[in-house]
Amino acid sequence: MSILNCGDFSSAGLLETTHNSLSGRHLRVIWPLWSGNPKGLWGPLKGGVVLDFLSARLNFTYEMVRVTENSLEPQGKERGLFNYLWEQQSDLIIFDVTPSFYRSNIDMATPWVFSYCGLLIPVYDDSANINAVVKPFQWPVWLGLGVSIVCVTAILILILRFSSHLPKNLNSNTQVESSNDNLEGQDGRHPVVKNNSGNPYLYVIGNLLSQGGPCPSKRLSFRLVAGVWCLAAFIFVQAYNSTLFTYVVTPVNQPLVNSINDVLESNDIQLLVIKASPLDVLFSNPNASGIKLANKLNSFPDSRCQFNSDCVSVIRPGSRKVYVHAINYLKDIIKEDFKKTGKCKLQIAKEGFMPIRVSFALQQNSPYTKSLNQGLLELQQTGLIDFWDTWFRPMPPQCNGKTPTKKSGNKLSALSFKNLTGAFLLLAVGLSLSLLVFLLEQIYYRFI
């Protein structure tokens, strides 16, 4: 039987010096993703097309063996896929068998896939970017800026006040605001404020906000302080403006984790893996994967899922769970979820870990091992394994982390309210504060 029509692959390409023990043979093959098996089993997506290639290349036929097991090793009283080899019910298992499963009573073919482990995490929707206004500076900079405003304002006020004690011919060009401080209204209680445009604090704040303003004094000492503040304010404003736009358009919600180290260092993030899978056995062995990874997997009672869908169903925004699997399987999950929902709700963490290589399994001392290895080596040399990924794993452009190209040109997206929430919030706080002060002033002047 044939699963996919992959073209005409004759056995003429094999080395003439190599004896093809598979020629004319009929094999019993296990491939969990075969349509005759129950849904929910997992296995290599390209297993069917690889089997067709090897069948045509090595000139053998095959039949599928129906299975219901989802693990290689037997689990207590439950059978595993290896039982079919041990009981001679199957000749070949098309599965991702890692070297950690090597036993003396099975043969392993040469590795045909080299990959690494990845972490499946949810994609968070962008929320209101409230902190964008303050993010360009770290808190020590904001603190230093506030202290600088207070110090410069105090120095300018002192210069103006002490200038009033100088002779008039030395202070003819100075506008002294303190002379207005002691003026009283007709009721004898409340001061009358005149000519506030020359107040030093308005000058300091105005320069910092790029609004400018008249210099309250022409004295050299005053202008030296004002000049230094203008230069410092220019640096602050330019540094702030050049960084502000980046934080306005930057996504608010960062990924749950970026690497396996983030998982190990966090106490509330749960690691999920398929029960009795090669990765489960590998991670459960401290000598193979490390003590931290083994302890992390065993720290939660429900870290092992029965089926692939069980693990994926709990990877949702707000959850603190991540699903570990080979990177190729995670891409399949993202693609299938996009087909169902039409949205990219899942993503792969930035950094992978633990390189892995997988093989097929045969019966112990199988006469077909050498010929199968030769066929797999030739398949690797052709580059078809990587090419088939473009057939079976065409990632949606929306989910591959790249902006999809359009023939009409890329269209720039306008900023949304979520990007500028911080500015609107700042405006609302300022207006509310001014209204409160206005009401307090009315109460004070009317009743006190």
Side-chain angles (χ1 to χ4, degrees):
M1 59 179 295
S2 178
I3 299 174
L4 291 173
N5 183 12
C6 302
D8 183 15
F9 302 110
S10 64
S11 59
L14 288 175
L15 296 177
E16 295 181 357
T17 57
T18 302
H19 174 67
N20 181 14
S21 59
L22 281 169
S23 180
R25 300 292 183 176
H26 183 78
L27 302 185
R28 293 162 297 175
V29 181
I30 292 176
W31 180 42
L33 296 185
W34 174 52
S35 59
N37 291 330
K39 301 295 183 181
L41 302 183
W42 67 278
L45 187 64
K46 296 177 291 186
V49 70
V50 171
L51 181 60
D52 274 351
F53 176 93
L54 294 174
S55 174
R57 195 70 167 172
L58 301 175
N59 191 29
F60 67 87
T61 58
Y62 62 88
E63 64 176 306
M64 286 295 180
V65 178
R66 188 179 187 277
V67 296
T68 58
E69 294 79 9
N70 202 34
S71 62
L72 292 173
E73 295 278 1
Q75 302 295 316
K77 296 182 179 180
E78 297 181 3
R79 289 162 51 89
L81 296 180
F82 283 161
N83 288 98
Y84 291 86
L85 297 180
W86 300 332
E87 299 170 6
Q88 298 184 354
Q89 297 177 357
S90 175
D91 301 298
L92 174 64
I93 295 180
I94 304 293
F95 202 82
D96 291 335
V97 185
T98 60
S100 61
F101 275 100
Y102 183 80
R103 287 178 167 228
S104 59
N105 52 356
I106 66 168
D107 282 356
M108 293 184 62
T110 185
W112 70 288
V113 169
F114 298 86
S115 184
Y116 58 92
C117 295
L119 299 172
L120 187 70
I121 58 178
V123 175
Y124 288 87
D125 295 330
D126 286 339
S127 59
N129 199 353
I130 298 177
N131 298 324
V133 177
V134 299
K135 277 186 177 180
F137 291 158
Q138 295 182 356
W139 70 266
V141 179
W142 287 112
L143 179 61
L145 184 59
V147 172
S148 300
I149 293 175
V150 174
C151 293
V152 173
T153 303
I155 292 174
L156 294 180
I157 291 176
L158 288 176
I159 292 177
L160 287 178
R161 287 187 179 275
F162 281 103
S163 296
S164 62
H165 301 289
L166 296 177
K168 292 184 178 181
N169 59 345
L170 296 178
N171 196 35
S172 58
N173 294 327
T174 303
Q175 302 174 7
V176 182
E177 300 297 333
S178 60
S179 61
N180 295 327
D181 293 344
N182 297 324
L183 296 178
E184 296 182 352
Q186 295 180 356
D187 57 0
R189 293 184 300 169
H190 307 299
V192 178
V193 181
K194 297 182 179 179
N195 193 15
N196 287 333
S197 62
N199 287 336
Y201 73 89
L202 291 179
Y203 178 78
V204 172
I205 299 298
N207 279 277
L208 188 63
L209 298 179
S210 301
Q211 299 300 313
C215 186
S217 175
K218 294 184 179 180
R219 291 195 59 82
L220 179 61
S221 58
F222 189 97
R223 287 181 172 273
L224 284 175
V225 177
V228 171
W229 174 246
C230 288
L231 180 60
F234 174 79
I235 297 175
F236 287 135
V237 170
Q238 294 302 317
Y240 181 83
N241 291 340
S242 61
T243 314
L244 176 62
F245 179 76
T246 301
Y247 285 102
V248 167
V249 299
T250 298
V252 179
N253 292 316
Q254 299 299 325
L256 179 61
V257 295
N258 290 316
S259 66
I260 189 62
N261 293 329
D262 297 337
V263 179
L264 298 178
E265 294 173 0
S266 177
N267 295 327
D268 62 337
I269 295 182
Q270 182 178 357
L271 192 66
L272 301 178
V273 68
I274 295 181
K275 182 180 179 180
S277 65
L279 291 182
D280 182 18
V281 177
L282 182 63
F283 294 163
S284 301
N285 185 359
N287 297 326
S289 62
I291 298 177
K292 286 187 176 181
L293 191 55
N295 292 340
K296 185 67 177 181
L297 190 61
N298 296 324
S299 59
F300 294 89
D302 55 345
S303 295
R304 294 168 175 85
C305 309
Q306 186 67 30
F307 297 102
N308 188 61
S309 57
D310 297 335
C311 290
V312 178
S313 62
V314 296
I315 307 299
R316 292 293 180 263
S319 68
R320 306 288 292 176
K321 299 180 180 181
V322 297
Y323 177 37
V324 59
H325 213 318
I327 194 70
N328 290 337
Y329 289 105
L330 297 184
K331 291 180 179 180
D332 296 338
I333 293 172
I334 294 176
K335 183 185 67 175
E336 292 299 324
D337 185 75
F338 179 80
K339 287 182 179 180
K340 294 179 181 179
T341 62
K343 297 180 180 179
C344 294
K345 296 183 178 180
L346 301 172
Q347 63 180 336
I348 301 175
K350 183 178 180 180
E351 299 179 15
F353 68 103
M354 191 175 294
I356 55 177
R357 52 192 178 95
V358 296
S359 308
F360 297 153
L362 302 93
Q363 295 180 12
Q364 182 182 12
N365 300 322
S366 173
Y368 311 131
T369 302
K370 189 173 182 180
S371 297
L372 186 66
N373 289 342
Q374 181 65 37
L376 288 174
L377 289 174
E378 290 191 0
L379 179 59
Q380 292 176 355
Q381 292 174 357
T382 61
L384 284 176
I385 295 180
D386 295 331
F387 176 74
W388 284 333
D389 273 333
T390 61
W391 288 5
F392 295 99
R393 292 186 171 95
M395 289 294 293
Q398 300 90 334
C399 303
N400 61 7
K402 301 179 182 178
T403 303
T405 58
K406 299 181 180 179
K407 294 183 179 179
S408 58
N410 291 332
K411 205 173 185 180
L412 297 178
S413 58
L415 294 178
S416 65
F417 181 80
K418 293 180 179 180
N419 298 117
L420 299 176
T421 304
F424 286 105
L425 180 62
L426 183 63
L427 179 61
V429 171
L431 294 177
S432 302
L433 184 61
S434 65
L435 179 60
L436 177 62
V437 172
F438 173 77
L439 295 176
L440 292 177
E441 288 178 345
Q442 294 299 316
I443 296 173
Y444 178 79
Y445 285 111
R446 289 178 181 274
F447 305 103
I448 300 179

